[in-house]
Amino acid sequence: RSALQQAAEALLQGSDRSDRPRGRMIAEWLAADDAARAAGLDAYATAFLTANDELRAASAIATKAVRAALPGIVGILHAEGSRLIGVRDRRRALATAEATAALIELGNALLEAYAAAKRSVARLDYDDLILLTGELLNRQGIAPWVLFKLDGGIDHILIDEAQDTSPQQWEVVARLAEEFFAGEGARDTVRTIFAVGDVKQSIFSFQHADPEEFRRMRDHFEKRVVDSSALWRPVDLDVSFRSTAAVLQAVDHVFAGDPASRGVVEPGTRLQHFAHRAGQAGLVELWPPVGPRSREDETAWSLPLERRAGDDPPGRLARLLARRIAGWIGRETLESRGRKVRAGDIMVLVRTRTAFFETLVRSLKDLGVPVSGVDRMVLTDQIAVMDLIALGRFLLLPEDDLTLATVLKGPLIGLDDDDLFALAWNRGGRTVWQRLNELAGTRPRYGIARDWLAALLAAVDFRPPYELYAEILAAPAPAGRNGRQCMLARLGPDADDPIDEFLGLALSFERGHAGSLEGFLHWVEAGDVTVKRDLEQAGRDEVRVMTVHGAKGLQAPIVVLPDTMSKPRNRPAILWDGDLPLWPPGAAYRDSTCEALLQATGARADEEYRRLLYVAMTRAEDRLYVCGVHGRNTPQDDCWYALVRKGLAGVAEEIPFDFREPAGAGLKGTGLRLANRQRGDAKSDVAMTAIEPGPMTPEGWMLQPAPRERPPPKPLAPSRDIEVEPPVISPTGDDSSSRYHRGNIIHRLLEVLPDLPATARRGAAEAFLALPGHGLSGPLQAQIAAEVMAVLEDPAFGAIFGPGSRPEVPVTGLIEYPDGPAVISGQIDRLLVTRDLAMIVDFKSNRPPPDSPDEVADLYWRQMGGYRDIIAQLYPGRPVRCALLWTDGPRLMELAGPRLDRGTTRP
C-alpha cells in the first residue's frame, strides 16, 4: 500500500496526458472504502492492465521522467497488476463455479427424469449395459461370486477395434480377465486375451474412445501376463493388403515429422508400411487449391443491369470434381486390375457434411453419374419433406395463410408470384383459402388448385398418414403430373430419397400409434429424425460420397479428399477436469484452469484431426486425389492440405494442372504427383459387372405353375387333446372344485423341492402350502404335503430327482406322420438324461390312479409318445423310457409297448 501511494504521488507529478490520470485513479482507489473499491475494481485495473488482461509495457505505464524520478515504479505497478490478474482470475473461477453448479443441478434433474422414464418401461440404454455391468463386477461381496461363476465359462476374450474402446468398456474387460491371472481356474484350460487395435485410427472421441486408455490397458495386460509367466506377443500390423506402394509411400512421408506425426505415430517410433500389392500401379495427386476469384479485373462499381452469380469456391470445386469423375468412368483404365473405371470404384470422403457435400451429389446426378446419395440426412431439413409437411399443416388448419401460400407456390400446385399476389392482396379480412374459393372461377389454375385441396380436406379425417401421402404422391396433382413427378421436376432427383424415407416414416408411425395426421407431423418434427443409409450394399455400382467417420472400415480403388483446408473449431461449451465438468458461461469467464483445459482439449482434438487424415488416406486402394477449397481467409498451416503438401514435397514431382470446365469451374496451378507403374500382369478382381440383357430361351420348369405350398404345420401340445382328461374321484366329491389347483401346487412342489437339502424340504413344503393365497384348509395342506414328501422320500424315485435331472423342460420338435409333418410343442415335468438312457417323467395327480398301464387313457399314451419321439432326436442312440408318476400313492408307472408308438394317430 505504501509503495502504491508512493507511485501515485510520483505519477501525479508527471505528464498531464497519461501519468496524472493514472496517479489520480490509484490515489482515489486507495483512499476509498471497501465497498467503493469493489465497485471500482474494473476501472482501477485499467491503470495497470490492457484489455486482454496483460501488464502494460513500462513505457505505457509511466513516462520516462516519472521512471527517472522513482526508479522502482515499474516494478511496483507491475506487482499490483499481477495481483489484479490473480483477483480477476478468482472472480472468473467463482462465476464459472456458480454456473457449473447450476448446470449440474439442471443436468441432475434431467438424468433423474430420464432414469424414471426408463424405469417406467423397464428399459436400459446402451450406456446402462456397460455401466451396470462394470458396477456388478466391482460390487463388494457380489463381484467375487460373479467372477467365480464366469471363470467356468470364459476361455477367450477378443476385443476388436480396441482403439475405439471406451474406459468404461475397458473396465469391464479388465474385471472379466482378472481370473485369467489368479492362478488355477475352475477348469484346466489355457485362456487368452486377443486385442486388435491401431491407435492411428482412433477417431471416435465423441464415443469416449481414448488412445491413452488403449496404451494404458496394453501395458496393464502386458504386466499381468508376464507376471503370471504366460506368453505375451505384441504384433505390429505394418503390412497393408489394401493399398498400393504409391499410396503407402505418401502416407509414410506425410506423417514422418511434426506436426503431422503428433497423436498419430508413437513417440520415438517411425511410421513405415509395407505393400502386399507389390508391383501394382498406384497414384497420388495433390491438386492446386480452389480459392476466391481475383477482383483485379472488376470495376469499382457497375450498374445493376444483369444478374451475376456470387463467387462460390466450394460450388466450383464440386462441379469440377463431378466432371472429372464423369470423365474417369468408362474411359480411364485401372492398370492394376486391367479394366475401365466404374462408378462403384470411386469414394469421395469429406470431413463434415457441408453445402459442398450436397452440391457434389447434385452435380453428379446432373451429369448422369450413378451416385448413392448422402449417407446421412436430417429428414426435416429436406425441401421435399418441408413441402409435404406444409401440405399436412394446411389440411389440419386451412386458415393458416402463410402455410397455404407455401403450398400454392410449392411443386405440387406451382402458382407463380403474380397468381399468389392476386390472391393475397387487398383481400380484406378474408383468409387466403376463402379468397381462393371466391376466385376459383376466374382463373383455371385457381379452380384446379381449389378442387384438389378441397378433395384432400374432405379425405384427411378418414385416412391414416401413410395412405394420405401415398395417394398425394401417386395421383395427378394440379401442376400436371403425379405428385412425385411434380416434386422431382421442381427439386431434382435429390428429392427422391427424402420422399421415400418420409413415406417409410409414416408407415412406421402407424405401426405403433393411432393414424392421426396431427400426431404424425408432431412426431416427425419433434423427433428431428436423422436417416442413416448403408452405402456399402453389395451390387451397387455407384459413386459413394460420405464422411471419413462413416467410411471407417471401407475402401475403394479411387478415393478423393476434397475437404482438406478446414479445421474443427475446438471450443466446447463444457470442459472436463477428470470427471468434473466446468462450464464458463462465456469466454470472458474462463479462468486459468479453464484456459488450460481448453488448450489441452484443443491439442487432443488436433491429434484426432490428424488421425482422421490417416484414416482417410488409407481408404485408397489404387489412387488418391487430394483437393482443397478456401475462402478469403488464409488456411491454417496445419490443415490436411498443408500437411499433405509438406509431406509430399521432395518425393513427388511438381506438375502443372489446367482443368478447363464450363461454368467457370476450371482449375489451374501447380500440384504434386507420386506414382508407381504397373509391373507384371494386371490382377482381375470381382468388382461389380453389369448384366447385359439378351435373348433367353425359357426352360420347361419356368413355364409350369409353381406347386401349391402347404400351410406350415400348427404346433400341437401333446398334453392337450380334444378328449377330456380321465375324471378324478367323483365329480360331486370334495376335491372337484380344486382339481386343477391341487395339481398345479403338487407340480410346483415337485419342481422346486428337489433343489433343497433333504432336511429342509418338509418345512419348505409346509410353509409354501400355508400361504394364504393358496386357500388350502389345514387337512388339505397336510394331505398334499404327505403325498409330495412320500414321492421325494421313496428310494425308487431317487434318480428322477437326483443330480442330472431337470424340472419343467420345454421341448419343441418336428415329427413326420404318415399324413404329414407336425410340430410338437410341450413341457416335460421331469427329464433325466444319463450316458446310458433318457427318462421322461410326467406327474399325474389323478385320484385314484389306474392300477395298470392298460387302464391309462389313450391321451396320456399319445402325450408320452410325442415326447419320446422328440427326445429320441435329441439323444440318438440312447434308449428313451417314459413313465407316469402318480402322486396318489405314490407310484411310478412305466409306459412301453405298441400303445406308445404313434402309428397313424397324432397326439
Side-chain angles (χ1 to χ4, degrees):
R1 179 183 182 87
S2 61
L4 279 173
Q5 287 175 335
Q6 189 178 7
E9 292 172 359
L11 288 168
L12 288 171
Q13 303 302 317
S15 166
D16 289 337
R17 187 173 182 182
S18 59
D19 293 333
R20 292 183 182 181
R22 182 172 288 108
R24 282 194 298 271
M25 186 181 298
I26 296 174
E28 290 172 359
W29 194 82
L30 290 173
D33 58 20
D34 289 346
R37 287 183 193 169
L41 183 64
D42 290 332
Y44 171 66
T46 61
F48 309 90
L49 305 177
T50 67
N52 296 326
D53 272 5
E54 297 174 351
L55 293 174
R56 293 187 181 275
S59 59
I61 206 167
T63 60
K64 187 175 181 179
V66 173
R67 295 201 302 271
L70 183 62
I73 189 170
V74 174
I76 294 171
L77 297 179
H78 278 183
E80 177 67 356
S82 298
R83 187 185 73 84
L84 290 171
I85 290 176
V87 171
R88 284 191 163 187
D89 195 62
R90 287 294 303 275
R91 290 174 66 190
R92 294 189 185 100
L94 287 170
T96 297
E98 291 180 355
T100 302
L103 179 70
I104 290 175
E105 186 171 354
L106 174 63
N108 222 21
L110 290 172
L111 290 174
E112 289 175 357
Y114 179 49
K118 288 187 291 185
R119 285 194 301 269
S120 68
V121 292
R123 298 282 180 87
L124 296 176
D125 64 19
Y126 181 76
D127 286 337
D128 290 333
L129 300 179
I130 299 170
L131 297 174
L132 292 176
T133 302
E135 180 186 337
L136 175 66
L137 295 177
N138 285 282
R139 189 179 303 171
Q140 188 174 3
I142 299 296
W145 180 82
V146 174
L147 292 171
F148 170 75
K149 298 295 286 184
L150 291 176
D151 188 30
I154 296 181
D155 293 330
H156 309 284
I157 297 177
L158 185 147
I159 306 104
D160 195 14
E161 300 290 353
Q163 76 280 352
D164 296 326
T165 303
S166 69
Q168 294 80 13
Q169 293 168 324
W170 275 121
E171 178 65 23
V172 173
V173 173
R175 293 295 292 160
L176 290 177
E178 280 295 314
E179 294 297 315
F180 283 29
F181 315 108
E184 187 173 348
R187 293 174 294 118
D188 185 15
T189 183
V190 176
R191 290 172 292 182
T192 62
I193 298 177
F194 184 78
V196 184
D198 183 3
V199 175
K200 299 186 297 296
Q201 300 190 50
S202 180
I203 59 174
F204 290 100
S205 63
F206 55 88
Q207 294 178 352
H208 310 297
D210 185 356
E212 289 304 319
E213 189 69 13
F214 174 84
R215 296 186 182 99
R216 188 183 71 81
M217 293 305 299
R218 180 186 60 192
D219 296 342
H220 165 80
F221 281 119
E222 180 179 10
K223 185 177 186 304
R224 297 302 303 272
V225 171
V226 172
D227 289 349
S228 62
S229 301
L231 176 64
W232 173 261
R233 183 185 298 169
V235 179
D236 292 329
L237 303 178
D238 50 10
V239 177
S240 173
F241 293 84
R242 171 188 297 150
S243 304
T244 56
V247 175
L248 296 176
Q249 186 182 359
V251 172
D252 289 346
H253 280 88
V254 167
F255 296 99
D258 286 340
S261 62
R262 289 201 296 268
V264 180
V265 184
E266 297 268 359
T269 63
R270 178 173 174 267
L271 184 63
Q272 186 175 14
H273 292 90
F274 300 95
H276 177 75
R277 298 175 57 193
Q280 297 191 33
L283 173 68
V284 177
E285 283 187 356
L286 178 77
W287 293 357
V290 175
R293 288 193 178 97
S294 173
R295 295 185 177 181
E296 296 177 357
D297 298 331
E298 295 184 6
T299 59
W301 186 83
S302 59
L303 290 172
L305 302 178
E306 59 178 305
R307 181 176 180 177
R308 295 180 182 177
D311 187 21
D312 178 23
R316 285 192 280 122
L317 178 59
R319 292 188 290 273
L320 167 70
L321 187 55
R323 288 196 169 273
R324 299 302 295 176
I325 290 174
W328 293 338
I329 297 173
R331 296 181 178 88
E332 293 200 9
T333 301
L334 278 175
E335 297 178 4
S336 67
R337 302 165 193 258
R339 61 170 176 79
K340 299 295 184 182
V341 173
R342 302 187 180 100
D345 294 332
I346 302 169
M347 184 161 62
V348 182
L349 301 181
V350 297
R351 192 178 61 82
T352 57
R353 296 176 183 85
T354 60
F356 171 86
F357 191 91
E358 296 181 358
T359 304
L360 176 60
V361 172
R362 189 183 312 114
S363 299
L364 288 169
K365 290 184 177 181
D366 290 342
L367 294 174
V369 176
V371 59
S372 57
V374 296
D375 62 337
R376 189 187 297 264
M377 61 180 167
V378 179
L379 206 57
T380 50
D381 288 347
Q382 307 304 309
I383 299 297
V385 174
M386 293 180 183
D387 283 329
L388 293 173
I389 290 177
L391 177 58
R393 286 294 174 201
F394 161 75
L395 296 177
L396 293 171
L397 185 63
E399 292 78 14
D400 186 343
D401 292 339
L402 181 59
T403 299
L404 177 54
T406 303
V407 173
L408 293 174
K409 280 203 67 178
L412 294 172
I413 296 179
L415 298 187
D416 57 26
D417 287 340
D418 292 337
D419 293 329
L420 190 60
F421 181 80
L423 279 175
W425 178 72
N426 198 24
R427 67 180 189 275
R430 289 162 295 182
T431 65
V432 174
W433 175 239
Q434 292 171 335
R435 183 71 168 166
L436 180 64
N437 280 276
E438 290 177 2
L439 301 180
T442 61
R443 298 186 187 182
R445 300 181 69 181
Y446 289 168
I448 295 173
R450 191 275 311 271
D451 294 343
W452 186 71
L453 292 173
L456 292 178
L457 284 170
V460 66
D461 293 332
F462 305 97
R463 297 192 183 168
Y466 174 78
E467 183 179 331
L468 176 69
Y469 279 112
E471 183 173 341
I472 290 171
L473 293 168
R481 290 171 282 186
N482 68 45
R484 182 185 289 268
Q485 291 172 340
C486 292
M487 300 193 80
L488 297 182
R490 169 81 69 88
L491 305 175
D494 289 354
D496 209 14
D497 287 344
I499 290 173
D500 288 339
E501 296 292 348
F502 183 77
L503 286 176
L505 210 60
L507 200 57
S508 299
F509 173 81
E510 291 179 17
R511 292 193 183 105
H513 305 80
S516 159
L517 180 60
E518 173 66 42
F520 169 64
L521 296 180
H522 174 75
W523 185 68
V524 171
E525 294 173 321
D528 197 22
V529 179
T530 300
V531 178
K532 183 178 180 181
R533 303 167 66 239
D534 182 12
L535 303 188
E536 191 57 18
Q537 298 178 14
R540 297 179 62 168
D541 187 14
E542 299 172 334
V543 176
R544 289 169 289 174
V545 184
M546 56 201 312
T547 63
V548 182
H549 283 96
K552 180 74 184 299
L554 306 182
Q555 60 195 53
I558 300 175
V559 170
V560 183
L561 305 181
D563 180 17
T564 60
M565 288 187 148
S566 62
K567 281 196 65 178
R569 298 185 62 186
N570 305 319
R571 288 287 185 266
I574 300 176
L575 302 169
W576 290 89
D577 187 3
D579 291 333
L580 175 68
L582 295 177
W583 180 46
Y589 296 93
R590 287 200 294 262
D591 68 326
S592 57
T593 299
C594 290
E595 289 291 349
L597 291 174
L598 188 63
Q599 291 182 8
T601 301
R604 289 194 299 269
D606 284 344
E607 291 178 354
E608 183 165 327
Y609 172 74
R610 293 187 282 270
R611 291 194 296 269
L612 195 64
L613 173 61
Y614 175 85
V615 171
M617 295 181 69
T618 53
R619 298 309 94 195
E621 299 176 13
D622 292 30
R623 300 185 189 179
L624 174 64
Y625 297 92
V626 181
C627 322
V629 60
H630 64 88
R632 299 291 176 188
N633 297 328
T634 303
Q636 298 186 40
D637 293 337
D638 59 345
C639 68
W640 284 1
Y641 189 91
L643 296 178
V644 173
R645 176 172 280 281
K646 179 181 177 183
L648 294 183
V651 296
E653 62 173 328
E654 290 191 0
I655 57 173
F657 282 85
D658 190 3
F659 299 153
R660 298 186 182 276
E661 304 290 348
L667 179 67
K668 189 174 183 179
T670 302
L672 299 173
R673 176 181 291 164
L674 179 64
N676 60 277
R677 295 184 176 180
Q678 179 73 22
R679 299 197 306 270
D681 297 333
K683 295 184 179 180
S684 62
D685 57 9
V686 291
M688 297 166 287
T689 56
I691 300 176
E692 297 294 338
M696 181 183 69
T697 303
E699 299 180 20
W701 62 269
M702 298 180 182
L703 304 177
Q704 300 294 326
R708 191 168 186 176
E709 294 185 17
R710 291 188 301 176
K714 182 179 179 181
L716 303 174
S719 59
R720 295 185 186 136
D721 199 276
I722 57 174
E723 299 179 15
V724 180
E725 279 195 74
V728 293
I729 301 189
S730 168
T732 59
D734 295 337
D735 194 41
S736 60
S737 62
S738 58
R739 163 186 161 195
Y740 294 110
H741 182 48
R742 177 180 177 276
N744 290 336
I745 291 176
I746 293 175
H747 279 198
R748 181 63 175 162
L749 289 171
L750 291 175
E751 176 187 349
V752 299
L753 290 180
D755 292 335
L756 301 178
T759 55
R761 291 175 180 174
R762 182 173 292 276
E766 292 174 350
F768 177 77
L769 293 169
L771 293 174
H774 294 150
L776 301 176
S777 63
L780 188 54
Q781 294 177 32
Q783 184 186 46
I784 294 177
E787 284 190 22
V788 172
M789 294 308 301
V791 171
L792 296 178
E793 293 172 356
D794 192 319
F797 307 140
I800 298 174
F801 298 103
S805 63
R806 292 178 58 192
E808 303 297 328
V809 180
V811 291
T812 302
L814 183 66
I815 307 297
E816 291 289 343
Y817 291 98
D819 58 342
V823 175
I824 302 296
S825 179
Q827 187 159 292
I828 298 173
D829 290 339
R830 199 86 190 177
L831 177 65
L832 171 66
V833 179
T834 68
R835 294 182 178 179
D836 302 322
L837 62 84
M839 188 165 189
I840 303 167
V841 179
D842 201 66
F843 303 148
K844 301 298 180 185
S845 53
N846 299 47
R847 300 170 57 213
D851 294 327
S852 68
D854 294 337
E855 299 177 8
V856 174
D858 289 341
L859 167 66
Y860 294 160
W861 282 93
R862 291 199 297 271
Q863 174 189 353
M864 301 305 288
Y867 289 157
R868 183 197 63 175
D869 291 342
I870 297 175
I871 297 300
Q873 295 180 45
L874 291 175
Y875 302 100
R878 302 186 200 184
V880 180
R881 298 172 60 186
C882 301
L884 298 176
L885 178 58
W886 304 102
T887 58
D888 185 17
R891 188 155 59 98
L892 185 68
M893 179 183 293
E894 185 168 359
L895 302 182
R899 288 185 68 185
L900 195 63
D901 297 332
R902 59 182 181 270
T904 58
T905 307
R906 296 187 179 210

